[in-house]
Amino acid sequence: MPIIGITGGVATGKSCVSDLISSHFSDAVLFSADAECARLVRENSEVRDELQRTLGEEAFSSGGHLNRQYVRSCIFGSIDLKRRVEAIFHPRVRQAWRSLAERSREKSEWMFAEIPLLYETGGWNLLDRVVVVACSPQEQIRRMVASRGLSEGLSEQIRVAQMSLTEKCSQSDHIIWNDFSFSCLSRQVRLLCVWLRHRYS
């Protein structure tokens, strides 16, 4: 069975698409790079120590929780810090999903891997198909402001720091356009899942 990558830009709806796909593939192995990063921060003392050395004591609250606002201001205020933080996470996340993919291939299981920086980290060539979830830049910024409480300026800074959606779409096998209603998104996902079942089953 195939290994399918799900990627896109910030606030395009990748996780929502992943959830919808999982409802059509209850037998599939699912991987989320964001969830793996969160797990590493919670459970991996080496990662926590490296983050603290890189970003300082303020990277964690007195209760031991990651100070997301502070971390965000650090990595989007310094290209060097951004690269150093990425170097902490990317190899570990890559190893996690590659190991899972190998086991899924051995067991002939479906696998869907949601990896926001798939193209940026060079992982796309290990997948059978890549789905890019995209929307307009205006919608990305609107969602970041509305759901994350970020300013328009910081939202735009985060958006342009990633590989452009135009470039990601040009390299993808499938595009899901998420500028419209949830029902429209659901229909697109359903059509994709029907196609995948037909292609690989």
Coordinates of all heavy atoms in Angstrom, one line a residue, residues 76-120:
F76 N 11.4 33.9 14.3 CA 11.0 34.7 13.2 C 11.7 36.1 13.2 O 11.5 36.9 12.4 CB 9.5 34.9 13.0 CG 8.8 33.6 12.5 CD1 8.2 32.8 13.4 CD2 9.0 33.2 11.2 CE1 7.6 31.6 13.0 CE2 8.4 32.1 10.8 CZ 7.7 31.3 11.6
G77 N 12.5 36.3 14.3 CA 13.3 37.5 14.4 C 14.8 37.2 14.0 O 15.6 38.2 13.9
S78 N 15.1 36.0 13.8 CA 16.5 35.6 13.5 C 16.6 34.4 12.6 O 16.1 33.3 13.0 CB 17.3 35.4 14.8 OG 18.6 34.8 14.5
I79 N 17.1 34.6 11.4 CA 17.3 33.4 10.5 C 18.2 32.4 11.1 O 17.9 31.1 11.0 CB 17.8 33.9 9.1 CG1 16.8 34.8 8.4 CG2 18.2 32.7 8.3 CD1 17.3 35.4 7.1
D80 N 19.2 32.8 11.8 CA 20.2 31.8 12.4 C 19.5 31.0 13.5 O 19.6 29.8 13.5 CB 21.3 32.6 13.0 CG 22.3 31.7 13.8 OD1 22.9 30.8 13.1 OD2 22.5 31.8 15.0
L81 N 18.7 31.6 14.3 CA 18.0 30.9 15.4 C 16.9 30.0 14.8 O 16.8 28.8 15.3 CB 17.3 31.9 16.4 CG 18.2 32.5 17.4 CD1 17.3 33.5 18.3 CD2 18.8 31.5 18.3
K82 N 16.3 30.4 13.7 CA 15.3 29.6 13.1 C 16.0 28.3 12.6 O 15.4 27.2 12.7 CB 14.7 30.3 11.9 CG 13.6 29.6 11.2 CD 12.9 30.5 10.1 CE 11.8 29.8 9.4 NZ 12.3 28.8 8.5
R83 N 17.1 28.4 11.9 CA 17.8 27.3 11.4 C 18.3 26.3 12.5 O 18.2 25.1 12.4 CB 19.0 27.7 10.5 CG 18.5 28.3 9.2 CD 19.7 28.9 8.4 NE 19.3 29.4 7.1 CZ 20.0 30.2 6.4 NH1 21.2 30.7 6.8 NH2 19.6 30.7 5.2
R84 N 18.7 26.9 13.6 CA 19.2 26.1 14.7 C 18.1 25.3 15.4 O 18.3 24.2 15.8 CB 19.9 27.0 15.7 CG 21.3 27.5 15.2 CD 21.8 28.6 16.1 NE 22.1 28.2 17.4 CZ 22.4 29.1 18.4 NH1 22.5 30.4 18.1 NH2 22.7 28.6 19.6
V85 N 16.9 26.0 15.5 CA 15.8 25.3 16.1 C 15.3 24.2 15.1 O 15.0 23.0 15.6 CB 14.6 26.3 16.4 CG1 13.3 25.5 16.7 CG2 15.0 27.2 17.6
E86 N 15.3 24.5 13.8 CA 14.9 23.4 12.9 C 15.8 22.3 12.9 O 15.4 21.1 12.8 CB 14.9 24.0 11.5 CG 13.7 25.0 11.2 CD 13.8 25.7 9.9 OE1 14.9 25.6 9.2 OE2 12.8 26.3 9.5
A87 N 17.1 22.5 13.1 CA 18.1 21.4 13.2 C 17.9 20.5 14.4 O 18.3 19.4 14.4 CB 19.5 22.0 13.3
I88 N 17.2 21.0 15.4 CA 16.9 20.2 16.6 C 15.7 19.3 16.3 O 15.8 18.1 16.7 CB 16.5 21.1 17.8 CG1 17.6 22.0 18.3 CG2 15.9 20.3 19.0 CD1 17.3 23.0 19.3
F89 N 14.7 19.7 15.5 CA 13.6 18.9 15.3 C 13.6 18.1 14.0 O 13.2 16.9 14.0 CB 12.3 19.9 15.2 CG 11.9 20.4 16.6 CD1 12.2 21.6 17.0 CD2 11.2 19.5 17.5 CE1 11.8 22.1 18.2 CE2 10.8 20.0 18.7 CZ 11.1 21.3 19.1
H90 N 14.0 18.7 12.9 CA 13.9 18.0 11.6 C 14.5 16.6 11.5 O 13.8 15.7 11.0 CB 14.4 18.9 10.5 CG 13.6 20.1 10.2 ND1 13.9 21.1 9.3 CD2 12.4 20.5 10.7 CE1 13.0 22.0 9.3 NE2 12.1 21.7 10.1
P91 N 15.7 16.4 12.0 CA 16.2 15.0 11.9 C 15.4 14.0 12.7 O 15.2 12.9 12.2 CB 17.7 15.2 12.4 CG 18.0 16.6 12.3 CD 16.7 17.3 12.5
R92 N 15.0 14.4 13.8 CA 14.2 13.5 14.7 C 12.8 13.2 14.1 O 12.4 12.1 14.1 CB 14.1 14.1 16.1 CG 15.4 14.2 16.9 CD 15.2 14.9 18.2 NE 16.3 14.8 19.1 CZ 17.3 15.7 19.2 NH1 17.2 16.8 18.4 NH2 18.3 15.5 20.0
V93 N 12.2 14.2 13.6 CA 10.9 14.0 13.0 C 11.0 13.2 11.7 O 10.2 12.3 11.5 CB 10.2 15.4 12.6 CG1 9.0 15.2 11.8 CG2 9.9 16.2 13.9
R94 N 12.0 13.5 10.9 CA 12.3 12.7 9.7 C 12.5 11.2 10.0 O 11.9 10.3 9.4 CB 13.5 13.2 8.9 CG 13.7 12.6 7.5 CD 14.9 13.2 6.8 NE 14.8 14.6 6.7 CZ 15.7 15.4 7.3 NH1 16.6 15.0 8.1 NH2 15.6 16.7 7.2
Q95 N 13.3 10.9 11.0 CA 13.6 9.6 11.4 C 12.3 8.9 11.9 O 12.0 7.7 11.6 CB 14.6 9.5 12.5 CG 15.0 8.1 13.0 CD 15.5 7.2 11.9 OE1 16.3 7.7 11.1 NE2 15.0 6.0 11.8
A96 N 11.4 9.6 12.6 CA 10.2 9.0 13.1 C 9.3 8.6 12.0 O 8.8 7.5 12.0 CB 9.5 10.0 14.1
W97 N 9.0 9.5 11.0 CA 8.1 9.1 10.0 C 8.7 8.1 9.0 O 7.9 7.3 8.5 CB 7.5 10.3 9.4 CG 8.2 11.1 8.3 CD1 8.9 12.2 8.5 CD2 8.4 10.8 6.9 NE1 9.5 12.7 7.3 CE2 9.1 11.8 6.3 CE3 7.9 9.8 6.1 CZ2 9.5 11.8 5.0 CZ3 8.2 9.8 4.8 CH2 9.0 10.8 4.2
R98 N 10.0 8.2 8.8 CA 10.6 7.2 7.9 C 10.5 5.8 8.5 O 10.3 4.8 7.7 CB 12.0 7.6 7.6 CG 12.1 8.8 6.6 CD 13.6 9.1 6.3 NE 13.7 10.1 5.3 CZ 14.8 10.6 4.8 NH1 16.0 10.2 5.3 NH2 14.8 11.6 3.9
S99 N 10.8 5.7 9.8 CA 10.7 4.4 10.4 C 9.3 3.8 10.4 O 9.1 2.6 10.1 CB 11.1 4.5 11.9 OG 12.5 4.9 12.0
L100 N 8.3 4.7 10.6 CA 6.9 4.3 10.5 C 6.5 3.9 9.1 O 5.8 2.9 8.9 CB 6.0 5.5 11.0 CG 4.6 5.2 11.4 CD1 4.5 4.1 12.5 CD2 3.9 6.5 11.8
A101 N 7.0 4.6 8.1 CA 6.8 4.3 6.7 C 7.3 2.9 6.3 O 6.7 2.1 5.6 CB 7.3 5.4 5.8
E102 N 8.5 2.7 6.8 CA 9.2 1.4 6.5 C 8.3 0.2 7.1 O 8.1 -0.8 6.4 CB 10.6 1.3 7.1 CG 11.6 2.2 6.3 CD 12.9 2.3 7.0 OE1 13.1 1.6 8.0 OE2 13.8 3.0 6.5
R103 N 7.8 0.4 8.3 CA 7.0 -0.7 8.9 C 5.7 -0.8 8.2 O 5.2 -1.9 8.0 CB 6.8 -0.3 10.4 CG 8.0 -0.5 11.3 CD 7.6 -0.5 12.7 NE 7.0 0.7 13.2 CZ 7.6 1.7 13.7 NH1 9.0 1.7 13.8 NH2 7.0 2.8 14.2
S104 N 5.1 0.3 7.7 CA 3.9 0.3 7.0 C 4.0 -0.5 5.7 O 3.2 -1.2 5.2 CB 3.3 1.7 6.8 OG 3.0 2.3 8.0
R105 N 5.2 -0.2 5.0 CA 5.4 -0.9 3.7 C 5.6 -2.4 4.0 O 5.1 -3.3 3.2 CB 6.6 -0.4 3.1 CG 6.5 1.0 2.4 CD 7.5 1.3 1.4 NE 7.5 2.7 1.0 CZ 6.7 3.2 0.1 NH1 5.8 2.5 -0.5 NH2 6.8 4.5 -0.2
E106 N 6.3 -2.8 5.0 CA 6.5 -4.2 5.3 C 5.1 -4.9 5.6 O 4.9 -6.1 5.2 CB 7.4 -4.3 6.5 CG 8.8 -4.0 6.3 CD 9.7 -3.9 7.5 OE1 9.1 -4.3 8.6 OE2 10.9 -3.6 7.4
K107 N 4.2 -4.2 6.2 CA 2.9 -4.8 6.6 C 1.9 -4.5 5.5 O 0.7 -4.9 5.7 CB 2.4 -4.2 7.9 CG 3.3 -4.5 9.1 CD 2.8 -3.9 10.4 CE 3.7 -4.2 11.6 NZ 3.2 -3.5 12.8
S108 N 2.2 -3.8 4.4 CA 1.3 -3.5 3.4 C 0.1 -2.7 3.9 O -1.0 -3.0 3.6 CB 0.8 -4.7 2.7 OG 0.2 -4.4 1.4
E109 N 0.4 -1.7 4.7 CA -0.6 -0.8 5.3 C -0.6 0.6 4.5 O 0.4 1.0 4.1 CB -0.3 -0.5 6.8 CG -0.3 -1.7 7.7 CD 0.1 -1.4 9.1 OE1 1.1 -0.6 9.2 OE2 -0.5 -1.9 10.0
W110 N -1.8 1.2 4.5 CA -1.9 2.5 4.0 C -1.3 3.4 5.1 O -1.4 3.2 6.3 CB -3.4 3.0 3.9 CG -4.1 2.4 2.7 CD1 -4.7 1.2 2.6 CD2 -4.2 3.0 1.4 NE1 -5.2 1.0 1.4 CE2 -5.0 2.1 0.6 CE3 -3.8 4.2 0.9 CZ2 -5.3 2.4 -0.7 CZ3 -4.2 4.5 -0.4 CH2 -4.9 3.6 -1.2
M111 N -0.6 4.5 4.7 CA 0.0 5.5 5.6 C -0.2 6.9 5.0 O 0.1 7.1 3.8 CB 1.4 5.2 5.9 CG 2.0 6.3 6.8 SD 3.8 5.9 7.3 CE 4.2 7.5 8.0
F112 N -0.6 7.8 5.9 CA -0.7 9.2 5.5 C 0.1 10.0 6.5 O 0.0 9.9 7.7 CB -2.2 9.7 5.6 CG -3.1 9.1 4.6 CD1 -3.7 7.8 4.8 CD2 -3.3 9.7 3.3 CE1 -4.5 7.3 3.9 CE2 -4.1 9.1 2.4 CZ -4.7 7.9 2.6
A113 N 1.1 10.8 5.9 CA 2.0 11.5 6.8 C 1.8 13.0 6.5 O 2.0 13.5 5.4 CB 3.4 11.2 6.4
E114 N 1.3 13.7 7.6 CA 1.1 15.2 7.5 C 2.4 15.9 7.9 O 2.8 15.9 9.1 CB -0.1 15.6 8.4 CG -0.3 17.1 8.3 CD -1.2 17.6 9.4 OE1 -2.0 16.7 10.0 OE2 -1.2 18.8 9.8
I115 N 3.1 16.5 6.9 CA 4.4 17.1 7.1 C 4.4 18.5 6.5 O 4.6 18.6 5.3 CB 5.5 16.2 6.5 CG1 5.4 14.7 7.1 CG2 6.9 16.8 6.9 CD1 6.3 13.8 6.3
P116 N 4.2 19.5 7.3 CA 4.2 20.9 6.8 C 5.4 21.3 5.9 O 5.2 21.9 4.9 CB 4.1 21.7 8.0 CG 3.4 20.8 9.0 CD 4.0 19.5 8.8
L117 N 6.6 20.9 6.4 CA 7.8 21.3 5.6 C 8.3 20.1 4.8 O 9.5 19.9 4.8 CB 8.8 21.8 6.6 CG 8.4 23.0 7.5 CD1 9.5 23.5 8.4 CD2 7.9 24.2 6.6
L118 N 7.5 19.4 4.2 CA 7.9 18.2 3.4 C 8.9 18.5 2.3 O 9.9 17.9 2.2 CB 6.6 17.5 2.8 CG 6.9 16.3 1.9 CD1 7.5 15.2 2.7 CD2 5.6 15.9 1.2
Y119 N 8.5 19.5 1.5 CA 9.5 19.9 0.4 C 10.7 20.5 0.9 O 11.8 20.3 0.4 CB 8.7 20.8 -0.6 CG 7.7 20.1 -1.4 CD1 6.4 20.4 -1.3 CD2 8.1 19.1 -2.3 CE1 5.4 19.7 -2.1 CE2 7.1 18.4 -3.1 CZ 5.8 18.8 -3.0 OH 4.9 18.1 -3.7
E120 N 10.6 21.4 2.0 CA 11.7 22.1 2.5 C 12.7 21.2 3.1 O 13.9 21.5 3.1 CB 11.2 23.1 3.6 CG 10.4 24.3 3.1 CD 8.9 24.0 3.0 OE1 8.5 22.8 2.9 OE2 8.2 25.0 3.1

